[in-house]
Structure formats: structure tokens, C-alpha cells
Amino acid sequence: MTSIGGAASSGMVDWNLAVATATRLMRPGPDVSRDEARAVVAELRRHAKASEEHVRGFTRLGTEETHDTPLLVVDRPGWVRANVAGFRELLKPLLDKMQERRGTSPGNAVLGAVGGKVTGVELGMLLSFLASRVLGQYETFAPATRDLPAGANGAGRLLLVAPNIVHVERELDVEPHDFRLWVTLHEETHRTQFTAVPWLRDHLEGEIQSFLEETDVDPMTVLERIREAAQSLAGGRPEGEEGDEGRSLVELVQTPAQREILGRLTAVMSLLEGHADFVMDGVGPAVVPSVAEIREKFQQRRAKGASRLDMALRKLLGLDAKLRQYRDGERFVRAVVEEVGMDGFNRVWTSPNTLPTKAEIAKPADWITRVHRKPEA
């Protein structure tokens, strides 16, 4: 197994053990022959290339110049390795802060017993759960590793998780070629957002780091929250116990300053996810013949969830908030485009000041008034 960077086994989390645990526990992918797998990978690469032109034409973002963010068609273990590398980089300030507090924390003795290895196992359990559900992902913060290239100067990479795409298209009983193109349209929109708007990545990273810097939380509390999620996966939570009203990991570490930052982050993520859904549906009818059937079945799958355990974990990990981001963000984008057109909507990408607030996501007319208001005569 490839190591996730230097000193991966030290500190609060044993990252290599997280990868190994997730890989060992994850569900097997769909049954496909080697030839079928090669064909799926090749088709996803073709669709991703075609999606670039479709998305540029519809959104009027970006140019025909080739960007240097690589496309990686991965399996479930590949998705885990990529995300662990990203998590390790992004969470380093918080984990360093927690490591410093270990010496003075009242829970120091317990932390010493738990250690990074136990935390790595529990994180691996959560990643094994997620690894079978993600269809694709634009990794905005993606450090390059030996087997996972990334774009130059901190640029990201586009991941398509082939076994999960095949699994869902079979589960929904939809036309495979249409579904694969439909998925790549969504993920390509995310790549276009970040490559066409140069300041967006740095702005988002700055907000996340500000959020982490404001964290003032007992490390034992964070580890306990991770443990609750892991116990849910293992069936260790008593029947009927929802676990602290189902609070998510994100909600646990909020200070007043963090709540303000989180509101801005929620608005940005709602915009990005809603924009991708809007583009996917806007381009779809012209290039995906069965888009209406795919959308209906996929929405039903999103809303339903797989099981009570699945729904509990989605809440604990904050994934229910992500579902709201798709819905609320798409409504915002659609309302703005209907009112001021695509070029008028694209003023959202001018600077951080033109991004919608959380309140404006819910009331698109307020954003239009603020950004498109005419100067008084």
C-alpha cells in the first residue's frame, strides 16, 4: 500500500491505517468482467472530455485552453486514498492544535491509550461507508502523491468512481451510457467552476482554514463523535438512540465565529452544488435522451436513503445538509438565470463579494437586488 505522505502514522490519526481499514471493510463492487471494466473506464474518459465542451457552452465559463487538472477514473480504494491525502492536508492545522492540547487536556491519559491507531481505524470505518456511495468528485485540495497526480500550483483533480457509477445505473435500471454522461456533466461543472474562477479555490481554502483556526474543542469530544459514527456502522448504538439529537461532526465544533464562517461556507457549497445540478439538467435534454427518467429515479434515491442506519449516518456526518445544498442551490441558480439570464448569473463569479449569502440562497431576489442594483441617478 502506498504511504500517504511522510509521518503518516504519527499524531492524532494514523492515516495509513485509516486507508487500510477502509479498504478491508468496504463493500465489494459490482460484478463486471475485466473487459467490461476497461470499457467503462474508456467511456467515462470520453464522456468527461465531451462534457468539457458541453459545460463551457452552457455556462459560458472557461476557455478552450486545456487545463492541467487530471481526470482519474478510480475504484473504491483509489477514492479512499485520494480523500485521505486531501483530508490530511486540509485538517493539518486543526490536528496540530489538538496535538498541542493533548499535554494539558484532562483527558490526556485516555488519549494516550486511544492514540492515532484507534482513531485511524474508526476513520477508516467511516470512509468504507462513504466509498461505496460517491459517484464522482472534484478534489479542490488535492496534494499529489506517487499514484495520484494533481494539477500544478495547487490545482485539483477530477475523480470518477467507476464501480459506484455502474452499481447505481444498475440499481436504477437506467440506460448506462446516458447515466455515465449525466454524472460526468455534474462533476465537470465543478472542475469548470474552479478552473474558470481563479480566486475561488484560495477563497474557499481561506474560509476553511479560518473555521479550523477558530476551533477550541477538547480532542476527546471530537474522538467521541467519530467513535459514535463508527459504532453506528458496527451496530454498537442501542436501538432507538439517536445520539445527541443526531448532531453532525461539523455542528459539534462551532464557536460563534465559526457559525458565521460556516454560514458563508454553506452558501458557497449550495451555490456550487446547485449550479452543477442546474447545468446537468440544462445540458441533459440535448445530449442525454433519457435525462428525465434518470433525474426522477435519482431524486427518489437521494430522498429515500438506503436504510435507517444510512439516514442516521448521513445526519451524523452532515450529509443531510449536503442534500439540502443541492436542492436550495439549484433553486437559487434557476431563479437568478430566469430573471437576469446566464450572463447576469455569472456575475456571481466576479469576486468573493458577489457570492450569495446564506440568506440570499433562500431569497434569490435579494442577491439580484444587491448585485444588479442600478446606481441612483
Side-chain angles (χ1 to χ4, degrees), residues 79 87 125-134 164 317 319:
W79 178 86
F87 290 157
M125 292 174 70
L126 298 181
L127 288 170
S128 71
F129 168 79
L130 295 171
S132 63
R133 286 158 172 76
V134 176
N164 294 351
L317 297 171
L319 300 183

Side-chain angles (χ1 to χ4, degrees), residues 69 86 89-90 138-143 150-157 193-209 265 268 272 349 352 355:
T69 53
E89 186 77 12
L90 197 60
Y138 181 73
E139 275 201 291
T140 314
F141 312 104
N153 301 318
R157 57 186 166 226
Q193 289 164 347
F194 284 93
T195 56
V197 185
W199 56 264
L200 184 57
R201 179 192 181 278
D202 288 343
H203 171 71
L204 193 58
E205 182 177 22
E207 292 280 55
I208 292 172
Q209 292 304 334
L265 280 170
V268 173
L272 298 178
W349 312 116
L355 290 171

Side-chain angles (χ1 to χ4, degrees), residues 48 70-72 137-139 156-160 187-188 191:
L71 165 69
L72 305 179
Q137 174 184 1
Y138 181 73
E139 275 201 291
R157 57 186 166 226
L158 181 61
L159 305 179
L160 295 173
E187 304 307 332
E188 180 58 41
R191 178 157 63 169

Side-chain angles (χ1 to χ4, degrees), residues 69-90:
T69 53
L71 165 69
L72 305 179
V73 182
V74 297
D75 57 9
R76 291 170 179 174
W79 178 86
V80 168
R81 289 195 299 273
N83 276 267
V84 165
F87 290 157
R88 185 172 185 266
E89 186 77 12
L90 197 60

Side-chain angles (χ1 to χ4, degrees), residues 274 277-278 281-282 329-339 345:
D277 264 12
F278 178 77
D281 287 346
E330 196 273 342
R331 279 202 296 255
F332 170 84
V333 175
R334 185 173 301 280
V336 172
V337 172
E338 288 177 354
E339 183 67 23
F345 166 78

Side-chain angles (χ1 to χ4, degrees), residues 7-15 18 83-103 111 115-116 119-120 123 208-209 211-213 215-220 222-223 226 253:
S9 298
S10 64
M12 301 294 295
V13 182
D14 186 331
W15 297 104
N83 276 267
V84 165
F87 290 157
R88 185 172 185 266
E89 186 77 12
L90 197 60
L91 296 178
K92 187 177 186 300
L94 174 61
L95 295 180
D96 286 348
K97 187 174 183 178
M98 292 170 66
Q99 183 77 26
E100 290 174 5
R101 291 194 58 174
R102 179 180 280 189
L111 270 174
T119 310
L123 178 60
I208 292 172
Q209 292 304 334
F211 181 89
L212 296 178
E213 287 168 7
T215 298
D216 185 20
V217 64
D218 177 8
M220 278 302 298
V222 175
L223 296 180
I226 293 175
V253 295

Side-chain angles (χ1 to χ4, degrees), residues 48-372:
K49 184 64 178 175
S51 294
E52 290 184 50
E53 183 176 348
H54 294 316
V55 171
R56 279 200 310 264
F58 184 80
T59 63
R60 303 175 194 171
L61 292 175
T63 67
E64 294 184 3
E65 296 179 6
T66 303
H67 45 65
D68 65 351
T69 53
L71 165 69
L72 305 179
V73 182
V74 297
D75 57 9
R76 291 170 179 174
W79 178 86
V80 168
R81 289 195 299 273
N83 276 267
V84 165
F87 290 157
R88 185 172 185 266
E89 186 77 12
L90 197 60
L91 296 178
K92 187 177 186 300
L94 174 61
L95 295 180
D96 286 348
K97 187 174 183 178
M98 292 170 66
Q99 183 77 26
E100 290 174 5
R101 291 194 58 174
R102 179 180 280 189
T104 58
S105 170
N108 181 41
V110 180
L111 270 174
V114 174
K117 290 190 178 299
V118 173
T119 310
V121 168
E122 292 170 340
L123 178 60
M125 292 174 70
L126 298 181
L127 288 170
S128 71
F129 168 79
L130 295 171
S132 63
R133 286 158 172 76
V134 176
L135 302 182
Q137 174 184 1
Y138 181 73
E139 275 201 291
T140 314
F141 312 104
T145 66
R146 188 173 66 188
D147 58 345
L148 290 167
N153 301 318
R157 57 186 166 226
L158 181 61
L159 305 179
L160 295 173
V161 190
N164 294 351
I165 293 172
V166 172
H167 171 78
V168 173
E169 71 192 24
R170 291 178 178 179
E171 178 186 318
L172 298 182
D173 191 24
V174 293
E175 210 290 319
H177 305 295
D178 286 2
F179 184 74
R180 294 166 194 174
L181 177 55
W182 189 71
V183 170
T184 59
L185 286 169
H186 182 101
E187 304 307 332
E188 180 58 41
T189 301
H190 287 317
R191 178 157 63 169
T192 298
Q193 289 164 347
F194 284 93
T195 56
V197 185
W199 56 264
L200 184 57
R201 179 192 181 278
D202 288 343
H203 171 71
L204 193 58
E205 182 177 22
E207 292 280 55
I208 292 172
Q209 292 304 334
S210 295
F211 181 89
L212 296 178
E213 287 168 7
E214 289 289 336
T215 298
D216 185 20
V217 64
D218 177 8
M220 278 302 298
T221 308
V222 175
L223 296 180
E224 181 60 30
R225 184 60 60 183
I226 293 175
R227 191 163 299 110
E228 285 182 13
Q231 288 172 352
S232 292
L233 282 171
R237 177 174 293 174
E239 181 66 25
E241 182 181 328
E242 292 300 327
D244 202 9
E245 299 302 320
R247 284 191 300 166
S248 72
L249 286 164
V250 169
E251 291 172 318
L252 182 73
V253 295
Q254 287 185 60
T255 64
Q258 283 180 308
R259 282 193 290 272
E260 184 178 339
I261 298 168
L262 189 62
R264 296 196 299 267
L265 280 170
T266 298
V268 173
M269 298 311 296
S270 297
L271 171 69
L272 298 178
E273 295 295 354
H275 184 234
D277 264 12
F278 178 77
V279 172
M280 186 166 58
D281 287 346
V283 174
V287 298
V288 182
S290 58
V291 65
E293 177 191 2
I294 290 172
R295 164 56 82 186
E296 181 181 0
K297 290 183 175 180
F298 195 77
Q299 290 286 54
Q300 290 173 355
R301 182 180 185 272
R302 266 185 185 171
K304 182 174 63 175
S307 64
R308 181 179 178 276
L309 171 61
D310 189 34
M311 294 178 69
L313 278 166
R314 279 177 12 190
K315 176 174 283 293
L316 185 61
L317 297 171
L319 300 183
D320 56 336
K322 187 174 179 66
L323 295 178
R324 289 195 298 272
Q325 287 168 6
Y326 284 113
R327 183 180 64 246
D328 297 344
E330 196 273 342
R331 279 202 296 255
F332 170 84
V333 175
R334 185 173 301 280
V336 172
V337 172
E338 288 177 354
E339 183 67 23
V340 297
M342 185 64 74
D343 290 336
F345 166 78
N346 281 341
R347 289 183 63 176
V348 79
W349 312 116
T350 303
S351 76
N353 293 330
T354 56
L355 290 171
T357 65
K358 187 176 180 181
E360 288 170 342
I361 288 287
K363 295 183 177 180
D366 290 353
W367 180 87
I368 295 172
T369 298
R370 176 171 67 87
V371 174
H372 288 267

